[in-house]
Amino acid sequence: MSEWPSEEPLCFVDPLTGRPLLPAPDTEPFPMAPPVDIPAAERPILDNPLRVGLSIAGGLTMVSFLLVVALLGGSAQQAAPPPRPVPAEPARPPVVPSIIGWRPVTAEDNPFVYDVPPDWAVEDAGMVLALEDPNGNPLALHGVAHYRTGFCEEQDVSSRAQTGFSTIGSDEVRSPRDAARESALQWADAAFSSSDGMLRPEVTLSDPRSVRVFASSVEATEITATIHPAEHSPCGAPSATITAVALPLSTDPASGRYSVHMILADQEVSNALPNAVSDEIISTIRPTT
């Protein structure tokens, strides 16, 4: 068994001059632990200190590499370009009236347009005039305009005539003639029955007649209902008419519905809508584009 080398006395050296320093009189050398004899079999063996150093250094290098990658990844995510803006749909060109000085009337969910005289009130394209018939079936008018609005001081809303487009399914009727007839009857019940729905108006239908629309290039079918209301109101008229003009299904085949232009007008009053104006309004019906 090997022996530890003999202990040499401690010597203190001045770090500036290199000369030995004598210990102070009242100090003693720092006590040293006695040597311990460790068997060779229990001594730790560093078979390759360089390998250990490389392993530690490699681990630190890998950690540093991962940290850098993580930081770069985060920076890349933050620096990602923003999504490209979706181009807005081009604005539709303004609709020009077919009669100079008149006003075009359009609807958001109907592909047709018509014109009214300049003194009419034209609703926004998204406005819908809705009614229910006495059986609770809803009806809707799109692309609405009013004639002589506010004529009655006793009601918040009043007009002598209103126009717009209604629709009826091709599974309900088989022809433009049927579409015009059924639309006129449905609107007569909805607009002129008694308020409790118990009384129905008196309705007389005209014979169907052909009218030209789409700048005279398309033939439509017109039927007019003459109505005597079931009950009278302070602002009501003795009678009214509903003129229904049904366009051929071929003008809007994808919808599967007949488009029917409606004119509801008071009659037998001094400020009633003239028939000639109604006919001229109908002649302006055409596609929006």
PDB file of all heavy atoms in Angstrom, residues 1 18 39 46 60 71 74 82 91 140 142 153 171 205 207 212 215 230 240 243 247 266 280 286:
ATOM      1  N   MET A   1       0.874  -1.208   0.000  1.00  0.00           N
ATOM      2  CA  MET A   1       0.000   0.000   0.000  1.00  0.00           C
ATOM      3  C   MET A   1       0.885   1.223   0.000  1.00  0.00           C
ATOM      4  O   MET A   1       1.840   1.311   0.767  1.00  0.00           O
ATOM      5  CB  MET A   1      -0.895  -0.025   1.240  1.00  0.00           C
ATOM      6  CG  MET A   1      -1.837   1.158   1.307  1.00  0.00           C
ATOM      7  SD  MET A   1      -3.032   0.992   2.648  1.00  0.00           S
ATOM      8  CE  MET A   1      -1.931   0.809   4.047  1.00  0.00           C
ATOM      9  N   GLY A  18       7.244  38.395  -3.288  1.00  0.00           N
ATOM     10  CA  GLY A  18       7.666  37.004  -3.362  1.00  0.00           C
ATOM     11  C   GLY A  18       8.475  36.540  -2.178  1.00  0.00           C
ATOM     12  O   GLY A  18       8.944  35.406  -2.144  1.00  0.00           O
ATOM     13  N   PRO A  39      -8.579   2.679   0.605  1.00  0.00           N
ATOM     14  CA  PRO A  39      -8.170   1.525  -0.214  1.00  0.00           C
ATOM     15  C   PRO A  39      -8.293   1.871  -1.690  1.00  0.00           C
ATOM     16  O   PRO A  39      -9.170   2.609  -2.123  1.00  0.00           O
ATOM     17  CB  PRO A  39      -9.163   0.434   0.191  1.00  0.00           C
ATOM     18  CG  PRO A  39      -9.708   0.866   1.493  1.00  0.00           C
ATOM     19  CD  PRO A  39      -9.682   2.335   1.523  1.00  0.00           C
ATOM     20  N   LEU A  46     -11.367   8.250 -12.584  1.00  0.00           N
ATOM     21  CA  LEU A  46     -11.742   9.041 -13.743  1.00  0.00           C
ATOM     22  C   LEU A  46     -10.950   8.516 -14.924  1.00  0.00           C
ATOM     23  O   LEU A  46      -9.831   8.923 -15.183  1.00  0.00           O
ATOM     24  CB  LEU A  46     -11.460  10.529 -13.499  1.00  0.00           C
ATOM     25  CG  LEU A  46     -12.187  11.144 -12.297  1.00  0.00           C
ATOM     26  CD1 LEU A  46     -11.791  12.610 -12.156  1.00  0.00           C
ATOM     27  CD2 LEU A  46     -13.681  10.994 -12.434  1.00  0.00           C
ATOM     28  N   LEU A  60     -24.484  21.285 -22.435  1.00  0.00           N
ATOM     29  CA  LEU A  60     -24.736  22.722 -22.395  1.00  0.00           C
ATOM     30  C   LEU A  60     -24.925  23.278 -23.795  1.00  0.00           C
ATOM     31  O   LEU A  60     -25.772  24.137 -24.043  1.00  0.00           O
ATOM     32  CB  LEU A  60     -23.571  23.423 -21.685  1.00  0.00           C
ATOM     33  CG  LEU A  60     -23.446  23.124 -20.184  1.00  0.00           C
ATOM     34  CD1 LEU A  60     -22.190  23.791 -19.642  1.00  0.00           C
ATOM     35  CD2 LEU A  60     -24.681  23.598 -19.431  1.00  0.00           C
ATOM     36  N   LEU A  71     -36.188  30.342 -29.378  1.00  0.00           N
ATOM     37  CA  LEU A  71     -36.328  31.788 -29.496  1.00  0.00           C
ATOM     38  C   LEU A  71     -36.544  32.201 -30.935  1.00  0.00           C
ATOM     39  O   LEU A  71     -37.377  33.049 -31.243  1.00  0.00           O
ATOM     40  CB  LEU A  71     -35.085  32.479 -28.924  1.00  0.00           C
ATOM     41  CG  LEU A  71     -34.923  32.371 -27.403  1.00  0.00           C
ATOM     42  CD1 LEU A  71     -33.595  32.974 -26.992  1.00  0.00           C
ATOM     43  CD2 LEU A  71     -36.073  33.049 -26.684  1.00  0.00           C
ATOM     44  N   GLY A  74     -40.079  31.359 -31.903  1.00  0.00           N
ATOM     45  CA  GLY A  74     -41.042  32.353 -31.409  1.00  0.00           C
ATOM     46  C   GLY A  74     -40.984  33.629 -32.208  1.00  0.00           C
ATOM     47  O   GLY A  74     -42.000  34.213 -32.556  1.00  0.00           O
ATOM     48  N   PRO A  82     -49.034  39.220 -41.994  1.00  0.00           N
ATOM     49  CA  PRO A  82     -50.486  39.165 -41.760  1.00  0.00           C
ATOM     50  C   PRO A  82     -51.196  38.565 -42.960  1.00  0.00           C
ATOM     51  O   PRO A  82     -50.684  38.579 -44.081  1.00  0.00           O
ATOM     52  CB  PRO A  82     -50.856  40.642 -41.569  1.00  0.00           C
ATOM     53  CG  PRO A  82     -49.794  41.387 -42.312  1.00  0.00           C
ATOM     54  CD  PRO A  82     -48.533  40.576 -42.149  1.00  0.00           C
ATOM     55  N   ALA A  91     -68.576  47.427 -56.203  1.00  0.00           N
ATOM     56  CA  ALA A  91     -69.886  48.039 -55.998  1.00  0.00           C
ATOM     57  C   ALA A  91     -70.694  47.983 -57.294  1.00  0.00           C
ATOM     58  O   ALA A  91     -70.154  48.137 -58.398  1.00  0.00           O
ATOM     59  CB  ALA A  91     -69.726  49.487 -55.549  1.00  0.00           C
ATOM     60  N   ALA A 140     -95.114  38.768 -48.442  1.00  0.00           N
ATOM     61  CA  ALA A 140     -94.057  39.786 -48.387  1.00  0.00           C
ATOM     62  C   ALA A 140     -93.956  40.503 -49.716  1.00  0.00           C
ATOM     63  O   ALA A 140     -94.095  39.901 -50.788  1.00  0.00           O
ATOM     64  CB  ALA A 140     -92.718  39.148 -48.024  1.00  0.00           C
ATOM     65  N   HIS A 142     -91.314  43.053 -51.781  1.00  0.00           N
ATOM     66  CA  HIS A 142     -89.927  43.518 -51.829  1.00  0.00           C
ATOM     67  C   HIS A 142     -89.791  44.633 -52.873  1.00  0.00           C
ATOM     68  O   HIS A 142     -90.489  44.632 -53.879  1.00  0.00           O
ATOM     69  CB  HIS A 142     -88.991  42.363 -52.195  1.00  0.00           C
ATOM     70  CG  HIS A 142     -89.103  41.179 -51.296  1.00  0.00           C
ATOM     71  ND1 HIS A 142     -88.218  40.934 -50.262  1.00  0.00           N
ATOM     72  CD2 HIS A 142     -90.006  40.165 -51.252  1.00  0.00           C
ATOM     73  CE1 HIS A 142     -88.566  39.831 -49.644  1.00  0.00           C
ATOM     74  NE2 HIS A 142     -89.641  39.343 -50.224  1.00  0.00           N
ATOM     75  N   GLU A 153    -104.099  61.989 -41.363  1.00  0.00           N
ATOM     76  CA  GLU A 153    -103.530  62.429 -40.086  1.00  0.00           C
ATOM     77  C   GLU A 153    -103.919  61.514 -38.926  1.00  0.00           C
ATOM     78  O   GLU A 153    -103.294  61.561 -37.871  1.00  0.00           O
ATOM     79  CB  GLU A 153    -103.979  63.860 -39.780  1.00  0.00           C
ATOM     80  CG  GLU A 153    -103.480  64.900 -40.793  1.00  0.00           C
ATOM     81  CD  GLU A 153    -103.956  66.294 -40.457  1.00  0.00           C
ATOM     82  OE1 GLU A 153    -104.744  66.424 -39.478  1.00  0.00           O
ATOM     83  OE2 GLU A 153    -103.544  67.250 -41.140  1.00  0.00           O
ATOM     84  N   ASP A 171     -94.414  25.262 -57.489  1.00  0.00           N
ATOM     85  CA  ASP A 171     -95.127  24.082 -57.019  1.00  0.00           C
ATOM     86  C   ASP A 171     -96.552  24.414 -56.573  1.00  0.00           C
ATOM     87  O   ASP A 171     -97.350  23.504 -56.332  1.00  0.00           O
ATOM     88  CB  ASP A 171     -94.367  23.425 -55.866  1.00  0.00           C
ATOM     89  CG  ASP A 171     -94.112  24.392 -54.716  1.00  0.00           C
ATOM     90  OD1 ASP A 171     -94.202  25.615 -54.937  1.00  0.00           O
ATOM     91  OD2 ASP A 171     -93.811  23.920 -53.601  1.00  0.00           O
ATOM     92  N   LEU A 205    -112.402  39.553 -60.155  1.00  0.00           N
ATOM     93  CA  LEU A 205    -111.178  39.448 -60.949  1.00  0.00           C
ATOM     94  C   LEU A 205    -111.457  39.782 -62.405  1.00  0.00           C
ATOM     95  O   LEU A 205    -112.481  39.369 -62.978  1.00  0.00           O
ATOM     96  CB  LEU A 205    -110.589  38.042 -60.857  1.00  0.00           C
ATOM     97  CG  LEU A 205    -110.073  37.594 -59.490  1.00  0.00           C
ATOM     98  CD1 LEU A 205    -109.578  36.155 -59.570  1.00  0.00           C
ATOM     99  CD2 LEU A 205    -108.958  38.501 -59.005  1.00  0.00           C
ATOM    100  N   ASP A 207    -110.382  39.628 -66.500  1.00  0.00           N
ATOM    101  CA  ASP A 207    -109.799  38.614 -67.378  1.00  0.00           C
ATOM    102  C   ASP A 207    -108.291  38.879 -67.502  1.00  0.00           C
ATOM    103  O   ASP A 207    -107.850  40.040 -67.453  1.00  0.00           O
ATOM    104  CB  ASP A 207    -110.444  38.673 -68.765  1.00  0.00           C
ATOM    105  CG  ASP A 207    -111.904  38.234 -68.734  1.00  0.00           C
ATOM    106  OD1 ASP A 207    -112.257  37.413 -67.860  1.00  0.00           O
ATOM    107  OD2 ASP A 207    -112.684  38.744 -69.573  1.00  0.00           O
ATOM    108  N   ARG A 212     -96.380  43.969 -72.027  1.00  0.00           N
ATOM    109  CA  ARG A 212     -94.978  43.854 -72.441  1.00  0.00           C
ATOM    110  C   ARG A 212     -94.076  44.489 -71.390  1.00  0.00           C
ATOM    111  O   ARG A 212     -94.335  45.608 -70.922  1.00  0.00           O
ATOM    112  CB  ARG A 212     -94.752  44.533 -73.788  1.00  0.00           C
ATOM    113  CG  ARG A 212     -95.679  44.090 -74.898  1.00  0.00           C
ATOM    114  CD  ARG A 212     -95.537  42.630 -75.236  1.00  0.00           C
ATOM    115  NE  ARG A 212     -94.210  42.292 -75.739  1.00  0.00           N
ATOM    116  CZ  ARG A 212     -93.876  41.091 -76.200  1.00  0.00           C
ATOM    117  NH1 ARG A 212     -94.778  40.105 -76.207  1.00  0.00           N
ATOM    118  NH2 ARG A 212     -92.660  40.853 -76.639  1.00  0.00           N
ATOM    119  N   ALA A 215     -88.394  46.150 -71.602  1.00  0.00           N
ATOM    120  CA  ALA A 215     -88.260  46.968 -72.816  1.00  0.00           C
ATOM    121  C   ALA A 215     -88.991  46.323 -73.987  1.00  0.00           C
ATOM    122  O   ALA A 215     -88.489  46.276 -75.123  1.00  0.00           O
ATOM    123  CB  ALA A 215     -86.792  47.197 -73.148  1.00  0.00           C
ATOM    124  N   ALA A 230    -113.816  44.537 -46.289  1.00  0.00           N
ATOM    125  CA  ALA A 230    -114.768  43.923 -45.364  1.00  0.00           C
ATOM    126  C   ALA A 230    -115.231  44.906 -44.305  1.00  0.00           C
ATOM    127  O   ALA A 230    -116.348  44.775 -43.787  1.00  0.00           O
ATOM    128  CB  ALA A 230    -114.133  42.692 -44.712  1.00  0.00           C
ATOM    129  N   ALA A 240    -110.832  49.381 -53.745  1.00  0.00           N
ATOM    130  CA  ALA A 240    -109.404  49.363 -54.068  1.00  0.00           C
ATOM    131  C   ALA A 240    -109.175  48.381 -55.200  1.00  0.00           C
ATOM    132  O   ALA A 240    -110.045  47.542 -55.510  1.00  0.00           O
ATOM    133  CB  ALA A 240    -108.579  48.985 -52.848  1.00  0.00           C
ATOM    134  N   THR A 243    -103.399  45.133 -58.864  1.00  0.00           N
ATOM    135  CA  THR A 243    -102.968  44.719 -60.195  1.00  0.00           C
ATOM    136  C   THR A 243    -101.737  43.839 -60.048  1.00  0.00           C
ATOM    137  O   THR A 243    -100.705  44.290 -59.536  1.00  0.00           O
ATOM    138  CB  THR A 243    -102.653  45.937 -61.079  1.00  0.00           C
ATOM    139  OG1 THR A 243    -103.825  46.753 -61.170  1.00  0.00           O
ATOM    140  CG2 THR A 243    -102.224  45.505 -62.467  1.00  0.00           C
ATOM    141  N   LEU A 247     -94.437  37.543 -64.097  1.00  0.00           N
ATOM    142  CA  LEU A 247     -93.409  37.355 -65.121  1.00  0.00           C
ATOM    143  C   LEU A 247     -93.250  35.867 -65.420  1.00  0.00           C
ATOM    144  O   LEU A 247     -93.490  35.019 -64.553  1.00  0.00           O
ATOM    145  CB  LEU A 247     -92.069  37.922 -64.634  1.00  0.00           C
ATOM    146  CG  LEU A 247     -92.072  39.388 -64.201  1.00  0.00           C
ATOM    147  CD1 LEU A 247     -90.670  39.786 -63.740  1.00  0.00           C
ATOM    148  CD2 LEU A 247     -92.541  40.291 -65.327  1.00  0.00           C
ATOM    149  N   ASP A 266    -105.899  52.606 -53.725  1.00  0.00           N
ATOM    150  CA  ASP A 266    -107.253  53.025 -53.345  1.00  0.00           C
ATOM    151  C   ASP A 266    -107.989  53.557 -54.569  1.00  0.00           C
ATOM    152  O   ASP A 266    -107.386  54.159 -55.472  1.00  0.00           O
ATOM    153  CB  ASP A 266    -107.194  54.123 -52.273  1.00  0.00           C
ATOM    154  CG  ASP A 266    -106.753  53.591 -50.921  1.00  0.00           C
ATOM    155  OD1 ASP A 266    -106.807  52.361 -50.721  1.00  0.00           O
ATOM    156  OD2 ASP A 266    -106.354  54.411 -50.063  1.00  0.00           O
ATOM    157  N   GLU A 280     -97.853  52.769 -66.957  1.00  0.00           N
ATOM    158  CA  GLU A 280     -96.491  53.206 -67.291  1.00  0.00           C
ATOM    159  C   GLU A 280     -95.472  52.599 -66.325  1.00  0.00           C
ATOM    160  O   GLU A 280     -94.355  52.240 -66.726  1.00  0.00           O
ATOM    161  CB  GLU A 280     -96.418  54.728 -67.263  1.00  0.00           C
ATOM    162  CG  GLU A 280     -95.241  55.279 -68.058  1.00  0.00           C
ATOM    163  CD  GLU A 280     -95.428  56.742 -68.404  1.00  0.00           C
ATOM    164  OE1 GLU A 280     -96.379  57.370 -67.899  1.00  0.00           O
ATOM    165  OE2 GLU A 280     -94.611  57.259 -69.190  1.00  0.00           O
ATOM    166  N   ARG A 286     -87.974  45.473 -65.540  1.00  0.00           N
ATOM    167  CA  ARG A 286     -86.827  44.974 -66.294  1.00  0.00           C
ATOM    168  C   ARG A 286     -85.841  44.312 -65.332  1.00  0.00           C
ATOM    169  O   ARG A 286     -85.943  44.479 -64.116  1.00  0.00           O
ATOM    170  CB  ARG A 286     -86.134  46.120 -67.038  1.00  0.00           C
ATOM    171  CG  ARG A 286     -85.599  47.197 -66.103  1.00  0.00           C
ATOM    172  CD  ARG A 286     -85.297  48.474 -66.856  1.00  0.00           C
ATOM    173  NE  ARG A 286     -84.697  49.506 -65.988  1.00  0.00           N
ATOM    174  CZ  ARG A 286     -85.410  50.314 -65.198  1.00  0.00           C
ATOM    175  NH1 ARG A 286     -86.734  50.207 -65.135  1.00  0.00           N
ATOM    176  NH2 ARG A 286     -84.799  51.230 -64.461  1.00  0.00           N
TER     177      ARG A 286
END
